[in-house]
Amino acid sequence: MASMPTLPTACPLDCPDACSLAATVEDGRLVRLDGDHRNPLTDGFICAKVRSFASHLDGPERLLHPAVRTGKKGEGRFREASWDEALDLVATRLGEARRAHGGESILPVSYGGSNGLLSEGATDARLFHRLGASRLLRALCVAPSTSAHLGLYGRMPGVPLTAYRHAKLIVVWGFNPSASGIHLIPIVKAARAGGAKLVVVDPRRTPMAQQADLHLALRPGTDLCVALALISWLFESGRADLPFLAEHTTGAEALRERARAWSMERAAAEAGVPVADLERFATLYADTRPAVIRCGWGLERNRNGGSAVAAILALPAVAGCFGVAGGGFTLSNSQVIRLDGDAAAAAPPPSTREININQVGRALLEADPAVRVLFSYNCNPLATLPDQTRVQQGLAREDLFTVVFEQSMTDTARWADVLLPATTFLEHDDLTRGYGAMVAHRIRPVLPAMGEARPNWMVFEALCDRLGLREPSDPRGPDAMVDAILEATEDGRAVAKALREDGIALPPVGAEPVQLRDVWPRHEDRRIHLCPPELDAEAPAGLYGYQPDPGRPDQPLALISPATRHTLSSTFGQRWREPAVLLLHPTDAASRGIASGDAVRVWNELGTVECLVDVSDEVRPGVAVLPKGLWSRHTRNGFTANALVPDRLTDLGGGATFNDARVQVARA
Ligand SMILES: Nc1nc2c(c(=O)[nH]1)N[C@H]1C(S)=C(S)[C@@H](COP(=O)(O)OP(=O)(O)OC[C@H]3O[C@@H](n4cnc5c(=O)[nH]c(N)nc54)[C@H](O)[C@@H]3O)O[C@H]1N2
Ligand SMILES: Nc1nc2c(c(=O)[nH]1)N[C@H]1C(S)=C(S)[C@@H](COP(=O)(O)OP(=O)(O)OC[C@H]3O[C@@H](n4cnc5c(=O)[nH]c(N)nc54)[C@H](O)[C@@H]3O)O[C@H]1N2
Ligand SMILES: [Mo]
């Protein structure tokens, strides 16, 4: 049988790998979605979540028509409306709120969704900036890491994941590729076949940790202690690369001074790991070249997250790992191809108040002037933001008008006053970049929009028009917006032709740039700033200052909520049928008389979650795991890990402290 022709597209979901895809479409229906080989990292294979995208596309929860609430708030009862009626209503309420209470009474909330430059920060920014709405500090994820990366390296591109094949030591630190970026797995495997050693730093025995030569199962939030102990050991044992530090860095002495407090013994005690393991890690790191660190995101989600990432990123500088293929670090590669997304918005941000996305619950209940209109898009706030109880209390306010622009009937959507149906990436245009894979994709629709769903750019453009906020110089429509973005930067101009012709572009610096050979710290002096004053001023305990565990005797367990392969954040949660399971170590279970399969209560002062338990030594003692991305249907009482997550912020960047939840557990 002749194979059916495929259409090229790419996955814009919030994952580092940015798969290039081939869609088989017949009579306007998706027959098959698979990887293609244009992206050298993803090279033809994709995750199960996106392979089965068809069930997200037209599953029972897909929103197909605009709708207006008929039942009580949160009941999820709606009647269908025309786009004209829905947009008129939204525009009227936005206009009224601005007139009566000022633009700041409008709060747009957006985050992961489709990570494209047309879906986010484009016509949406045009609308909300011109309304003078409250600005959202989008610090839900990667904020502390970005602060550290920016402060030390000016966001220098990382080691390409494909170049890990050259490494002889791979350190996977707070990253779980089995869920969050599967394409690293075969590369690590190939490097190991060539003799590379593998170290994994993670409170859980992840599938990658199972294969590791060394697994440091530290307590959550203690990465800073471990990294500083390694730094101090490198300096004090004469293994630091002093000539490199003198030539390419500033602040090395200050870093050395701050690290001195962390002996191997002290760090091992704080992290709850054997000293011998720390010493083995240090020796491997000092002796093996090329050595690369894959710094993930799990370690940033606590009070020490920013300093921890900074200390980890300082390691390759102190040990002298740069300048060779497969040596250095990888954090986010989103800035490898520099594009100016704002060019599509053509609207500078106003100087209105800023609300941290991690404190939306608090803002809905307490902000002055009060939030009157909440506009949620590319986000499922009730499922994914900290302090779920307060987010829900906020959504329940009778005097709040809530617009939810969504693909699916999410937990948040059920609280909407108006629902607007959004297209998926198979149905709309976009321009995206990977933050692991070093590629940009121009996405074009491969399917007609389902039902009456519309792309973000179109809906926000229509609202701008209705509110009289359109300006003649606005780039209109996807092609004009993409052109504006590509023309605004040197990198954009360099990759424009490839994007237009092939739908994919590799970075202008080449596919596999080497750190401190081909790419340099993006500071004016091209040096690594190991102790940047701005970070020092921001961190409550100073940069590299450790803040102790927030646990209390009545909340002795650290609850972490990492990614799983079933969902992408909460996207696809509607397809995950099994009830949520809390992972607990046998010691912690035994002392509470808990066995696998029991129903348990997990609680702290912020809330309670009722779910099932699985007893397993996959997680270290003192730590409980309940995945991120759950929907209310997955637990017995409708609350998820986020109900236990404080809305306190990380030391740098105002980030979320998801893994600083401290809880007690008992049989239900
Ligand atoms: N399938 C799937 N893929 C995804 C996502 C998803 O939800 N599902 N999410 C996407 C998004 S938005 C992001 S940001 C990335 C996240 O990708 P990851 O970097 O993998 O982030 P997490 O899953 O939060 O945590 C990674 C690991 O850190 C560990 N961890 C938790 N606390 C600590 C700590 O204090 N120290 C250390 N060393 N480790 C710790 C966790 O046990 C976990 O194994 O993945 C993206 N890809
Ligand atoms: N407990 C806990 N919670 C966490 C985390 C954790 O580690 N622990 N991790 C956090 C992290 S890393 C992240 S990044 C956040 C992500 O949090 P969110 O940004 O809320 O991400 P999703 O849950 O994927 O929700 C995105 C929504 O956008 C919709 N969407 C997708 N594309 C479009 C589009 O083009 N237009 C419109 N209008 N809608 C679209 C999807 O249907 C989906 O419902 O979650 C955070 N939440
Ligand atoms: Mo994220």
Side-chain angles (χ1 to χ4, degrees):
M1 192 180 85
S3 63
M4 277 189 270
T6 62
L7 298 166
T9 180
C11 181
L13 299 182
D14 191 355
C15 162
D17 290 2
C19 292
S20 53
L21 302 174
T24 310
V25 175
E26 205 178 33
D27 300 328
R29 283 192 50 250
L30 181 67
V31 178
R32 189 181 158 88
L33 190 60
D34 217 331
D36 79 9
H37 297 275
R38 290 171 303 150
N39 177 345
L41 173 67
T42 64
D43 198 25
F45 78 95
I46 65 171
C47 69
K49 300 183 298 299
V50 172
R51 190 185 297 282
S52 53
F53 198 79
S55 58
H56 178 77
L57 199 61
D58 63 3
E61 277 89 354
R62 181 74 197 266
L63 299 179
L64 297 172
H65 306 281
V68 176
R69 172 165 74 89
T70 52
K72 291 201 187 98
K73 285 245 182 192
E75 250 181 17
R77 283 199 289 134
F78 299 92
R79 69 166 169 82
E80 227 174 275
S82 68
W83 268 107
D84 270 340
E85 182 192 352
L87 289 174
D88 283 344
L89 178 59
V90 174
T92 304
R93 297 303 292 257
L94 288 169
E96 280 172 5
R98 182 164 69 148
R99 268 192 308 280
H101 307 286
E104 288 182 338
S105 66
I106 299 164
L107 177 63
V109 172
S110 68
Y111 200 77
S114 299
N115 264 339
L117 297 169
L118 302 193
S119 300
E120 171 65 53
T123 52
D124 51 332
R126 211 182 274 173
L127 173 69
F128 294 119
H129 290 178
R130 290 175 189 167
L131 279 168
S134 290
R135 287 169 305 128
L136 186 75
L137 179 65
R138 300 177 71 248
L140 189 55
C141 170
V142 92
S145 297
T146 301
S147 290
H149 192 196
L150 183 66
L152 270 70
Y153 291 92
R155 302 183 83 178
M156 173 176 79
V159 177
L161 300 175
T162 47
Y164 280 41
R165 69 184 185 282
H166 300 297
K168 291 293 175 215
L169 175 65
I170 298 174
V171 181
V172 174
W173 201 317
F175 177 55
N176 175 24
S178 306
S180 313
I182 55 175
H183 298 90
L184 189 61
I185 296 169
I187 300 171
V188 170
K189 206 168 163 192
R192 303 243 311 141
K197 293 269 192 278
L198 173 65
V199 176
V200 173
V201 188
D202 197 304
R204 295 188 298 158
R205 197 169 61 244
T206 57
M208 181 127 306
Q210 257 165 46
Q211 303 162 26
D213 298 283
L214 177 64
H215 172 209
L216 269 194
L218 43 50
R219 288 198 186 102
T222 62
D223 305 83
L224 175 61
C225 318
V226 167
L228 290 178
L230 294 189
I231 289 169
S232 190
W233 181 89
L234 287 165
F235 273 117
E236 308 315 328
S237 67
R239 314 294 286 273
D241 187 342
L242 299 178
F244 177 87
L245 289 169
E247 192 179 344
H248 294 294
T249 72
T250 64
E253 259 318 301
L255 171 64
R256 181 178 186 163
E257 274 313 305
R258 291 170 193 212
R260 214 191 287 277
W262 290 97
S263 64
M264 288 290 191
E265 290 72 23
R266 183 176 170 215
E270 192 64 30
V273 297
V275 185
D277 284 359
L278 266 195
E279 287 170 350
R280 180 143 174 254
F281 185 11
T283 313
L284 273 174
Y285 195 62
D287 291 347
T288 322
R289 294 290 178 273
V292 67
I293 298 176
R294 175 37 158 162
C295 184
W297 292 270
L299 67 142
E300 73 159 31
R301 314 197 200 285
N302 65 74
R303 69 220 172 271
N304 296 312
S307 280
V309 173
I312 292 165
L313 297 192
L315 272 167
V318 176
C321 295
F322 292 121
V324 290
F329 70 86
T330 316
L331 186 66
S332 169
N333 280 330
S334 68
Q335 295 305 309
V336 176
I337 303 175
R338 280 179 283 188
L339 300 175
D340 178 9
D342 288 351
S351 56
T352 49
R353 73 172 167 195
E354 189 173 70
I355 289 177
N356 190 315
I357 188 167
N358 295 306
Q359 297 175 331
V360 162
R362 186 189 288 255
L364 290 178
L365 297 176
E366 293 171 7
D368 181 20
V371 176
R372 307 282 172 164
V373 179
L374 176 74
F375 197 127
S376 171
Y377 62 105
N378 296 347
C379 192
N380 185 4
L382 189 51
T384 55
L385 306 190
D387 202 352
Q388 191 168 57
T389 310
R390 278 207 277 188
V391 174
Q392 182 164 314
Q393 285 166 358
L395 289 170
R397 269 178 45 203
E398 286 299 334
D399 60 342
L400 179 73
F401 184 76
T402 302
V403 184
V404 178
F405 183 19
E406 246 302 344
Q407 296 168 347
S408 304
M409 185 58 99
T410 60
D411 289 343
T412 308
R414 300 181 70 81
W415 288 89
D417 291 288
V418 175
L419 276 174
L420 304 176
T423 44
T424 69
F425 70 92
L426 295 178
E427 304 152 273
H428 64 221
D429 284 87
D430 221 328
L431 179 61
T432 68
R433 281 174 302 185
Y435 57 93
M438 295 179 166
V439 296
H441 283 109
R442 171 71 168 93
I443 295 176
R444 293 182 187 281
V446 298
L447 290 174
M450 302 273 308
E452 294 182 276
R454 289 187 183 173
N456 289 13
W457 65 263
M458 190 185 283
V459 168
F460 292 111
E461 209 172 78
L463 287 171
C464 264
D465 288 349
R466 274 183 165 69
L467 284 154
L469 297 172
R470 171 178 177 177
E471 283 176 17
S473 58
D474 291 341
R476 289 179 72 85
D479 287 324
M481 286 162 65
V482 168
D483 285 348
I485 293 168
L486 294 179
E487 279 157 21
T489 60
E490 207 176 300
D491 280 8
R493 290 189 293 277
V495 301
K497 187 161 174 280
L499 279 175
R500 281 197 197 98
E501 286 173 4
D502 309 324
I504 186 167
L506 302 180
V509 284
E512 289 199 352
V514 170
Q515 290 183 316
L516 284 101
R517 192 191 75 190
D518 308 319
V519 289
W520 295 87
R522 289 170 169 172
H523 296 306
E524 235 161 63
D525 60 5
R526 300 227 302 182
R527 285 170 175 245
I528 302 160
H529 298 176
L530 293 171
C531 237
E534 66 282 9
L535 298 192
D536 214 18
E538 184 186 348
L543 183 61
Y544 307 122
Y546 178 66
Q547 302 182 70
D549 195 282
R552 321 190 309 213
D554 60 333
Q555 295 170 5
L557 295 169
L559 178 77
I560 60 172
S561 43
T564 75
R565 63 192 164 77
H566 300 285
T567 63
L568 207 144
S569 295
S570 75
T571 302
F572 306 127
Q574 78 276 21
R575 305 188 306 197
W576 186 9
R577 295 289 163 202
E578 299 100 78
V581 175
L582 178 86
L583 269 193
L584 207 56
H585 188 270
T587 319
D588 297 317
S591 63
R592 292 168 175 80
I594 293 172
S596 282
D598 282 353
V600 290
R601 235 163 23 91
V602 192
W603 76 94
N604 62 19
E605 75 283 8
L606 299 172
T608 301
V609 178
E610 293 172 22
C611 61
L612 300 178
V613 79
D614 188 14
V615 178
S616 158
D617 67 357
E618 192 185 310
V619 57
R620 61 158 290 140
V623 178
V625 183
L626 190 62
K628 83 160 162 173
L630 295 174
W631 288 32
S632 61
R633 65 177 65 176
H634 294 117
T635 66
R636 297 185 158 204
N637 68 340
F639 286 97
T640 71
N642 295 56
L644 306 167
V645 169
D647 73 354
R648 282 194 307 272
L649 305 176
T650 53
D651 52 349
L652 299 176
T657 55
F658 292 117
N659 295 335
D660 268 349
R662 294 296 181 266
V663 299
Q664 185 53 287
V665 179
R667 274 170 64 175

